[in-house]
Amino acid sequence: MNYLVEKVSEYMQQNHMVEEGQKIVVGVSGGADSMGLLFVLSELAEYFHLSLAVVHVNHGLRGKAADGDQSYVEQVCREQKIPCYSFHVDLKRFAKKEGMSEEEAGRYYRYQCFEKVRREISAQRIAVAHQREDVCETVLFNLFRGTGLRGLSGIPPVRDVIIRPLLCAGRQEIEAYLQERGIGWRTDETNLTDLYARNRIRHAILPYAREYINAAAGQHIQETAGLLKDIADYLDRQGEAAFDLCAEVGRQASVTIHHETFLTFDIVIQREVIRRAISVAAGQLKDVDREHIEMIRALMDKYVGRRCHLPGQLQAVRTYDGIIIKKENASAETVKEAFCMDVRAPGKFVIPGPGMEIELSLREDYENEEIPINRYTKWFDYDRIKNGLTVRTRENGDFITLDGQGHRKLLKRWMIDEKIPREQRESMLLLADGNHILWIMGYRISDNYKVTDATKRVLVVRIKGEKSDGGQYQNIVDRGRSRYPDSRTG
């Protein structure tokens, strides 16, 4: 096995890039890096039992030269008997329409094409041809224009379905491999000019650093990027845990940060919480910089009602509880439409909106009787209820008991772990005893309230109404039931 092929094989296995039998979409421009990626993966295809498909994107910027790139890639794919999907776009027009630079628009369009083909052919991975020098260029580019830790972490080997098998190799290694194999490649003349900032880093700054500062400058940049990635990953985990404790997502993707808990965290974690809150409210972090993060931190010391404006048509407003980040046109009244109704046994209660009726009853003569396996009826140990019952939507601090050992989980964390869509979380109905959730309707009940041999009185809760006979609510319950099947203990 060739040295580069063996090196890439080990790198792919270390980073768990593929599994046997998977399909991979390979982005191929025709340049040296992408041709190297295609042929290295072709050699490894038999070893990993992979199926390859190529995607080529003609950006329409270089006329006949770009058409020649497309023809070359298609010809190579025919010879290698690899399916090839070619796309053509007027990138200048597309960039103008989307309000992006040509470089940004080109990347966006390429990945759209990769994903389109991946879905069409049911592939599991998309392989792109970034290599070691690309990491150095990305780190320096982000450093010069201003960035945080994540921007200095380079390019990850795996992100979602995207894999980058050549990050372990340098440009010279790739070209040497192609020459050894007698494989040609196309040269994009624009890469030889200094029209783009990345080209200036590639042609001037990195060579200068290697010649006059340290010959291993590129390697050291990549190693440092790896260390910073580990730190960024750690802060991500800490920021997520802190966000779960002090932030609450409401209607219209607004986020409330509760100041009492927020202020207990170190300033580094506070910034992570704010960054995550903006990302949730806006759906992205584009154009958000350190200044915006610090503006929101400063709001914690301001009077109620003070606000600041953020990118993405967001605003942050000081409230009695802390800070709410929301869309400029979202009123405080419509941000979260909570529902709460006190219920008791015995009794019947109509839930407005869903067209449901909740019926509660008590039983003492249940010995030796099997708990019915019924998607609309649940049994609970009535004597474990301490604060009275409500049917409501979620509130800050809600939790559920997961097992007989009493392990608890915040309801917000549970919803995230179960991948409940964000837009559904605020409308899900709960049966609650204070902040302790007995039943996430349609999903699961709390172990703390399950019926056991020691139970004296059973609370029977039944959902009735036309929608529980085959409409929207039945669909919700069916999804929950498939994850949490009924059992003897409820």
Side-chain angles (χ1 to χ4, degrees), residues 274-290:
I274 292 172
R275 189 173 288 109
R276 188 174 295 270
I278 295 174
S279 178
V280 170
Q284 60 179 4
L285 282 171
K286 184 181 179 183
D287 300 326
V288 175
D289 56 30
R290 182 184 178 88

Side-chain angles (χ1 to χ4, degrees), residues 133-153:
E133 277 82 356
D134 291 319
V135 175
C136 302
E137 295 163 12
T138 297
V139 170
L140 292 178
F141 178 75
N142 289 341
L143 178 64
F144 296 152
R145 72 174 184 175
T147 187
L149 268 182
R150 187 59 68 186
L152 296 177
S153 301

Side-chain angles (χ1 to χ4, degrees), residues 37-48:
L37 175 66
L38 175 61
F39 278 89
V40 167
L41 288 180
S42 294
E43 291 195 43
L44 291 174
E46 183 176 352
Y47 179 78
F48 288 111

